[in-house]
Amino acid sequence: MCKFKKVLQGKELYLDIPHQLISEDIRTLLELEVEELSTVFGCEVYFQKPPAYAPRWIFRPRHQGMDAAELEWFPGTKALISYADNEDEALQTFSLLHTRARTDKNSVEYSPPCTTQEAAYLIRDEVLNTFPLSSYERLTPCSGPNSLMNLPQRIGMNSSIGRRN
């Protein structure tokens, strides 16, 4: 997440989510996660329309030709844009936040894993690159039979989790 923190440290980030895109229940749930989001971005997070030129996370409908929800980061303008056509896609872009933070790409598209092995690798990579680890795991995150590096092997390679609609 440090890529966001370098740009946003000491600033405020405003989430401007259209009321028609998500339900009030989901909005309330997201607002309860404001501390986690503040940790992710390294700044205070507010759920309201941003003042002019303030860092912002805005939500827009997908462009023609986009096959799935997408999250795009514009470091120069300090804007994060979620492209989503409905509540499920909007929530998918929250998951993409961790993917975007651990890659060098400015844009990431939602793509569900097709197998249990793919899901295990995705979970491992997201956890190793975005969440604080316990003191033991900080010392040995990649060793031992129960390590995150062995997660795909522990889950197995023959199961399938199917696609989300």
Side-chain angles (χ1 to χ4, degrees):
M1 295 300 171
C2 62
K3 294 173 188 173
F4 293 122
K5 286 183 178 179
K6 286 179 184 175
V7 174
L8 297 172
Q9 189 169 20
K11 297 180 176 25
E12 300 170 334
L13 179 72
Y14 293 85
L15 273 74
D16 188 10
I17 308 172
H19 284 277
Q20 66 273 18
L21 186 60
I22 62 171
S23 68
E24 284 304 313
D25 289 343
I26 294 297
R27 182 178 300 280
T28 301
L29 179 65
L30 292 173
E31 289 173 357
L32 291 172
E33 298 296 325
V34 72
E35 287 182 29
E36 179 185 345
L37 291 168
S38 293
T39 300
V40 166
F41 288 108
C43 64
E44 293 296 318
V45 174
Y46 300 97
F47 284 84
Q48 63 190 50
K49 251 197 186 335
Y53 306 108
R56 63 196 66 221
W57 185 352
I58 55 179
F59 290 73
R60 294 187 175 150
R62 284 192 280 136
H63 294 300
Q64 186 174 359
M66 283 185 172
D67 295 328
E70 193 170 304
L71 185 66
E72 193 166 8
W73 170 240
F74 297 90
T77 59
K78 298 174 190 71
L80 188 64
I81 301 177
S82 287
Y83 296 100
D85 287 341
N86 56 50
E87 184 174 85
D88 287 341
E89 289 182 358
L91 293 174
Q92 289 167 0
T93 65
F94 275 85
S95 294
L96 289 174
L97 178 62
H98 296 288
T99 304
R100 166 52 198 98
R102 71 177 171 83
T103 67
D104 291 329
K105 299 176 183 178
N106 280 339
S107 180
V108 289
E109 182 179 286
Y110 178 75
S111 178
C114 296
T115 66
T116 303
Q117 183 182 19
E118 286 178 13
Y121 279 112
L122 178 62
I123 291 167
R124 180 199 65 192
D125 293 345
E126 300 283 287
V127 169
L128 281 174
N129 290 291
T130 60
F131 291 98
L133 300 174
S134 71
S135 56
Y136 171 76
E137 290 171 321
R138 268 185 243 128
L139 295 173
T140 59
C142 301
S143 65
N146 294 322
S147 73
L148 289 170
M149 292 303 290
N150 291 326
L151 181 63
Q153 291 76 20
R154 291 191 345 243
I155 290 177
M157 297 181 190
N158 297 325
S159 301
S160 175
I161 61 169
R163 290 189 176 272
R164 288 187 249 170
N165 293 327

